[in-house]
Amino acid sequence: MTLFDLAKKNIKHNFIHYFLYFASMIFSIMIYYTFVSLSKDPKVVARIDNDDNLASIFNASSIILIIFVAIFILYSNHFFTRKRKKEVGIYSLLGLRKKEIGRMLFYENFLMGIGALVIGIGLGTLLSKLFVTILLKVMNLGGISDFVFSIDAVMNTIMIFIIITLITSITGYRIIYRTTLLDLFHSESKREKTPKSNPFLAILSLVLIIGGYFIALQPLITADSIWGKLKFEPGMLLILTSVIIGTVLLLNSFLPLLLNKIRKNKRLFYNGTNIISNSQLTFRIASNARTLSTIAVLTGMTLVAIGMVGGLYNSANKDAGLNNPATFEYHIVDEKSNNQALTLAQNSTKTPMTGNQETTINYVKATSDRKMPTAYGPEEGFAVISLTAYNKLLTLEKHTSSKMAALKDDEAILISSDLTTENDVLNQSFTLKNSTNQKVTVTKTSTKLPFSTLYSLLVVSDDVANTLSSKNQTTIQSIMVDQPKDAVALSKQMAKVLPENAVFRSYPENYEALMRGTGVLLFIGMFIGLVFLAATGSIIYFKQLTEAYNDVATYDILKKIGLDRKEIRKTIAKQVLVIFLIPLVLGIVHSSVALVALADLLQKNITLAASISTGAFTLIFIVYYFITVNTYTNIVMGKKRE
């Protein structure tokens, strides 16, 4: 019998033991192939090739996905190889040399890799249509994707996983060569060291985490706040460093200290099976501290990314409306192009025009006793509009709640998207360089500009506006249509007839670009989040199974002293629950604080997106938890006989 035949026989007769590793390979291949095939779909390609940012996002995401998948498979392979050390030791006793054992394991890995490739690509092909349809939907492109089988995606997937398979085979080969025969038989009997708790580090962990939270939740706009003194980038770096170090110390020092305190509470410690679960848990947290802290931090970052992108996606419609208050807007350069654009809008049957307005804007230089922020008064002067024209424009754009009843000649309204606080210019007086050198005082401010082609606007009374010189002025055309989101085709037609210096702005095209960009980010974030969640859940799962195999002898003793299956399962459920809860709870708390701070900074409502992503993560972790408890119990107790 050749080594290849022996490898096939091992897989055939021990497939139940190979299943976990085989399933992890299938899942990884399926996810990677599905993602790669998305970028090959004709409908997606048509959009990606026309947008360099989207192409870069897809390319960067595929690299991140490769790294995630590689780590996932390598970890699964490491668990699988460790589990088989005793089997390898038996082969050595039977006379097989390490070189031959390594070849046999390579054949096994190779055969499972081929099987996983075939199944994974098959499942990925079936799922690709579903995911492409979802991607087109979130990009606001609509339609159902046709069935596409991409040879390029298949070859890309095969090449990547051949490389990963070679790396895992070499890793397994090194483990065999570097492990003595004695270690092969007794690797599973190595016990964890007794954890040592440090009260100082335990307190420091809480101080670092709470301190990071405190800084993150400080107001960002006041100069005397912590953010104002630290500045944004150093502040973010300080928060990340503080929370990450605090999380590591929390798991290495605070939790062991807390469990030791519980052990000293005799009523709680000696209640039922707590004596067993608490003792086991102390060792488990100590041995898994590095893994759990890494998963907690990465979970928090993943939830922040998905929650933030989801919030941006949900607010895309609002953002497009703020950036483009009119459906179409442009500066009138000549009457011919203006009439052509108006005719196109008037003749549109799909999106009929509901109204338009030509507004004259005068650029007026101004002086002030106080320093005038350049963002509000450009070098060429204020863009000035009369109160009547301003109110008519608000009526056209259906923003009647912002209309002003009247303005005195010495009063003005300053509107700028750059306003951080009205105290910047409120009650500040300006002398307009018009025929009368009119002095006006800002009595009201706003950030809602009625134009998308201006950065700031000064609204004055009609009498003052009539005294302004016409030497430096422009006329802006604002057009509103019914069903503006469907007016992309009309927008492209209007862009063709308008000259470049007309500064044409289009709500439907801006909305489409926002939905396309945030939709791709949301889809990729959810996709990579799914892979990350599966990988982290599996890592915890594999870690617990490794410890389950190590604990078989311990639970045999517990069975002999009278504990039944129900009591042992209850003990296992307690300690596994804590192991799953630690990274999940820490990740959710970290992400919640970060999302509150980011929502305040960006003025976005991300509650819904954050709740959905957090709920999905929690649900999948619950599924992993019950699977782990059930498998752990079956390992230490044997499968329950009906």
Side-chain angles (χ1 to χ4, degrees), residues 151-311:
I151 297 297
D152 290 341
V154 172
M155 297 307 297
N156 187 312
T157 305
I158 290 174
M159 181 183 68
I160 292 296
F161 279 88
I162 284 177
I163 294 172
I164 293 176
T165 301
L166 288 174
I167 294 173
T168 55
S169 298
I170 292 170
T171 303
Y173 207 70
R174 287 183 64 224
I175 291 175
I176 294 169
Y177 263 87
R178 294 174 61 182
T179 308
T180 64
L181 186 61
L182 187 63
D183 287 336
L184 289 173
F185 279 100
H186 294 283
S187 62
E188 294 184 355
S189 61
K190 293 179 180 179
R191 310 305 297 171
E192 301 98 330
K193 295 180 180 179
T194 302
K196 296 180 180 179
S197 56
N198 187 318
F200 172 75
L201 293 179
I203 296 171
L204 180 62
S205 69
L206 296 178
V207 171
L208 287 172
I209 293 175
I210 295 172
Y213 289 173
F214 177 77
I215 297 173
L217 296 175
Q218 291 301 297
L220 300 173
I221 60 174
T222 55
D224 58 344
S225 69
I226 294 177
W227 281 101
K229 296 175 182 177
L230 291 176
K231 305 303 180 187
F232 186 76
E233 290 80 4
M236 285 295 295
L237 183 61
L238 177 62
I239 292 169
L240 283 173
T241 304
S242 178
V243 172
I244 290 172
I245 295 175
T247 301
V248 174
L249 293 177
L250 183 78
L251 293 173
N252 279 283
S253 298
F254 180 79
L255 287 182
L257 180 67
L258 179 63
L259 291 171
N260 285 333
K261 293 291 183 182
I262 293 174
R263 292 180 70 175
K264 293 178 180 179
N265 186 329
K266 294 184 179 180
R267 172 185 287 183
L268 186 61
F269 185 65
Y270 292 107
N271 182 18
T273 58
N274 285 350
I275 187 173
I276 301 168
S277 56
N278 183 284
S279 300
Q280 291 277 77
L281 195 56
T282 304
F283 288 104
R284 291 292 176 264
I285 290 176
S287 61
N288 293 315
R290 187 184 303 173
T291 301
L292 294 178
S293 57
T294 302
I295 291 174
V297 171
L298 291 177
T299 298
M301 291 181 176
T302 304
L303 289 173
V304 168
I306 295 175
M308 201 66 243
V309 174

Side-chain angles (χ1 to χ4, degrees), residues 51-231:
D51 192 324
D52 292 336
N53 291 331
L54 294 185
S56 300
I57 290 170
F58 258 92
N59 292 333
S61 300
S62 63
I63 294 172
I64 294 172
L65 197 58
I66 289 172
I67 295 172
F68 266 71
V69 165
I71 293 173
F72 182 37
I73 291 182
L74 286 170
Y75 193 90
S76 303
N77 177 263
H78 182 68
F79 164 78
F80 184 64
T81 304
R82 282 188 61 189
K83 184 176 173 295
R84 299 187 64 199
K85 279 187 176 181
K86 186 176 290 187
E87 178 187 339
V88 171
I90 293 173
Y91 283 133
S92 296
L93 285 177
L94 293 175
L96 285 178
R97 290 175 296 177
K98 289 186 175 181
K99 181 179 179 181
E100 293 171 327
I101 295 172
R103 280 173 55 198
M104 182 191 71
L105 294 181
F106 172 77
Y107 292 147
E108 291 181 6
N109 213 14
F110 179 73
L111 288 171
M112 285 192 293
I114 292 176
L117 273 171
V118 172
I119 298 173
I121 290 174
L123 292 173
T125 302
L126 295 175
L127 288 175
S128 60
K129 182 177 180 179
L130 171 64
F131 281 112
V132 170
T133 302
I134 294 172
L135 177 57
L136 294 175
K137 182 68 176 177
V138 297
M139 289 174 69
N140 200 42
L141 300 178
I144 303 296
S145 172
D146 298 326
F147 184 83
V148 176
F149 181 78
S150 173
I151 297 297
D152 290 341
V154 172
M155 297 307 297
N156 187 312
T157 305
I158 290 174
M159 181 183 68
I160 292 296
F161 279 88
I162 284 177
I163 294 172
I164 293 176
T165 301
L166 288 174
I167 294 173
T168 55
S169 298
I170 292 170
T171 303
Y173 207 70
R174 287 183 64 224
I175 291 175
I176 294 169
Y177 263 87
R178 294 174 61 182
T179 308
T180 64
L181 186 61
L182 187 63
D183 287 336
L184 289 173
F185 279 100
H186 294 283
S187 62
E188 294 184 355
S189 61
K190 293 179 180 179
R191 310 305 297 171
E192 301 98 330
K193 295 180 180 179
T194 302
K196 296 180 180 179
S197 56
N198 187 318
F200 172 75
L201 293 179
I203 296 171
L204 180 62
S205 69
L206 296 178
V207 171
L208 287 172
I209 293 175
I210 295 172
Y213 289 173
F214 177 77
I215 297 173
L217 296 175
Q218 291 301 297
L220 300 173
I221 60 174
T222 55
D224 58 344
S225 69
I226 294 177
W227 281 101
K229 296 175 182 177
L230 291 176
K231 305 303 180 187

Side-chain angles (χ1 to χ4, degrees), residues 341-358:
L342 270 176
T343 301
L344 286 170
Q346 289 166 350
N347 293 339
S348 175
T349 55
K350 183 179 180 181
T351 55
M353 189 173 80
T354 58
N356 74 292
Q357 178 177 322
E358 294 182 9

